[in-house]
Amino acid sequence: MTRKGEDFLNERSRRERRLERQIARRIEKRHGRRINETLNGGVIRNGRVISPDGVDMSHRFEILPVRPESTVRYVRNRSAIEEFSAENGGYVWGLFKSSVTMEIQWSKHGLTQSDFARLMFIGTYVDYDGVLRHPNGRLITRESMAELIGIHRTKFDEFFSKLKAVPIIKVAEDGVIYMSSDVFQRGKIAKGEYVDRIRVYRDTVRKLYEKYGKGRSVRQLGIIYSVVPFVHRNLNIVCYNPLEKHEDNIQPITLDKLALILGYQNATKFKAALRAIEINGQPVFAFVEDIHDGRKRRIIVNPRVIFAGNFEGLQACRALVALFN
């Protein structure tokens, strides 16, 4: 080939390369516009990314799940509640009528304050199917329940009969004991069902019963369950309106008034009964003093025993932990 022919071929090759580069730039520019258009107006269809003009752009995009801020917040808050629950041995739901004393709710069945303490203790053994079981999964029978509660056989038979009469428990033909879902439940409760509910922490309640439930102080322990209908769902303050959502509108029940509601004529003795109950060196009840009248102290329940609130409420209750030291 002559020199002139070689020069011609080289020039043609350079022109073709320049043309290819121009075409590539135009295609890239067009793709760039389409990418921007897809970002602003594309859709995801059947797992594919489609541009506004109908071109499949899946090779240019990676589809990743995006959690809304509300979802992220829910997961974080739920984790905090679950962590707190795990610290206290998990929980069961205690259900009741708000702002109505337990005595009034169950007066016709003769349940006493001592019975409430025993009932709260037994309630912590309910499983997800409403069956009473020991921690190892073994069924709780009438005989093993008597051993757990630790009272004289005659008193136990009376207590057991009361629970069946309400009925709080039901005994199947094979001896399996079921807890009424109107009193205690474990696991998820259907949304909108049983507004009046509170978490009862298993380990805490069992430790309290082991310490106080098998002697004369069992009635004092029963006070905890007696005040449950008056415990604010998010701040654990004993009040007249426990379902109130606005903190400024909460109406605390003072010590003297709570004593009367629960049938104690002497506020000083009532306070002494509350102060006498401790768990792990911490009181179950803390008091906010009224500088003008010692009988009008506000009362807060230790959230490690019972708590119904959300993440914000838990944070507020944790801030009050110093009151229980």
Side-chain angles (χ1 to χ4, degrees):
M1 181 180 291
T2 64
R3 178 67 178 270
K4 188 174 181 180
E6 290 179 356
D7 290 343
F8 175 78
L9 290 175
N10 289 337
E11 179 61 27
R12 188 172 68 176
S13 178
R14 284 194 292 271
R15 285 200 304 269
E16 289 176 350
R17 286 198 297 270
R18 284 198 299 270
L19 181 60
E20 288 174 356
R21 285 196 296 268
Q22 289 174 358
I23 292 173
R25 283 196 295 269
R26 289 177 182 176
I27 292 174
E28 188 64 31
K29 189 174 181 179
R30 188 179 298 119
H31 280 182
R33 286 199 302 269
R34 183 169 281 128
I35 288 172
N36 287 331
E37 291 170 354
T38 303
L39 283 172
N40 294 321
V43 296
I44 297 176
R45 188 180 302 131
N46 297 326
R48 312 295 294 178
V49 180
I50 308 300
S51 69
D53 58 352
V55 176
D56 188 341
M57 297 291 288
S58 301
H59 62 290
R60 291 282 184 170
F61 292 90
E62 181 181 6
I63 301 175
L64 296 173
V66 178
R67 285 181 172 179
E69 175 58 29
S70 59
T71 302
V72 173
R73 193 165 52 246
Y74 171 79
V75 171
R76 179 202 64 195
N77 296 356
R78 184 180 177 87
S79 296
I81 293 291
E82 289 176 348
E83 180 182 349
F84 182 76
S85 298
E87 291 174 7
N88 298 285
Y91 64 89
V92 298
W93 288 109
L95 301 100
F96 48 87
K97 294 179 181 178
S98 176
S99 302
V100 178
T101 66
M102 294 298 182
E103 286 83 353
I104 290 177
Q105 291 182 47
W106 292 330
S107 60
K108 65 179 181 179
H109 300 289
L111 290 172
T112 65
Q113 214 164 64
S114 298
D115 292 332
F116 300 152
R118 297 171 185 129
L119 174 58
M120 183 152 68
F121 171 64
I122 289 299
T124 65
Y125 290 92
V126 67
D127 71 5
Y128 292 102
D129 297 318
V131 176
L132 294 181
R133 293 182 183 275
H134 293 279
N136 62 5
R138 185 167 52 88
L139 290 172
I140 291 179
T141 63
R142 177 171 179 149
E143 289 70 26
S144 60
M145 184 189 291
E147 292 177 10
L148 275 174
I149 293 176
I151 56 177
H152 188 274
R153 186 72 193 195
T154 303
K155 282 190 174 182
F156 172 77
D157 290 342
E158 181 182 349
F159 171 67
F160 197 82
S161 297
K162 289 179 185 178
L163 297 188
K164 287 200 301 180
V166 173
I168 291 174
I169 61 172
K170 178 183 177 181
V171 183
E173 292 183 2
D174 58 1
V176 175
I177 302 176
Y178 291 87
M179 175 66 67
S180 169
S181 60
D182 292 334
V183 184
F184 286 104
Q185 286 190 44
R186 187 175 176 188
K188 187 176 181 180
I189 297 178
K191 188 174 181 181
E193 186 180 5
Y194 299 115
V195 175
D196 298 346
R197 59 185 178 181
I198 203 161
R199 295 181 188 89
V200 178
Y201 291 105
R202 295 199 297 267
D203 280 1
T204 308
V205 169
R206 291 173 189 174
K207 288 177 182 177
L208 283 169
Y209 190 83
E210 190 62 33
K211 186 175 181 180
Y212 301 101
K214 300 179 180 180
R216 294 182 179 179
S217 53
V218 63
R219 184 170 183 266
Q220 291 172 243
L221 187 58
I223 296 173
I224 299 174
Y225 204 66
S226 295
V227 303
V228 164
F230 303 96
V231 176
H232 189 269
R233 301 301 176 270
N234 221 27
L235 295 176
N236 269 39
I237 298 170
V238 179
C239 61
Y240 290 104
N241 50 345
L243 300 180
E244 175 59 53
K245 294 183 179 179
H246 300 288
E247 296 177 13
D248 292 341
N249 295 331
I250 296 175
Q251 301 171 15
I253 301 177
T254 56
L255 179 66
D256 57 337
K257 293 294 190 297
L258 183 63
L260 292 175
I261 289 172
L262 299 183
Y264 288 80
Q265 300 301 317
N266 189 313
T268 301
K269 289 184 177 179
F270 179 61
K271 180 186 176 184
L274 296 181
R275 280 197 184 280
I277 306 171
E278 294 185 347
I279 180 68
N280 296 330
Q282 292 185 340
V284 171
F285 298 94
F287 303 91
V288 178
E289 302 293 332
D290 185 318
I291 60 173
H292 302 294
D293 190 339
R295 296 171 302 172
K296 298 189 179 299
R297 296 175 177 88
R298 272 62 170 173
I299 306 164
I300 302 171
V301 181
N302 192 326
R304 293 191 178 280
V305 182
I306 52 175
F307 178 68
N310 55 24
F311 174 77
E312 287 74 18
L314 178 59
Q315 296 303 100
C317 283
R318 282 188 182 278
L320 295 173
V321 164
L323 292 173
F324 296 94
N325 291 337

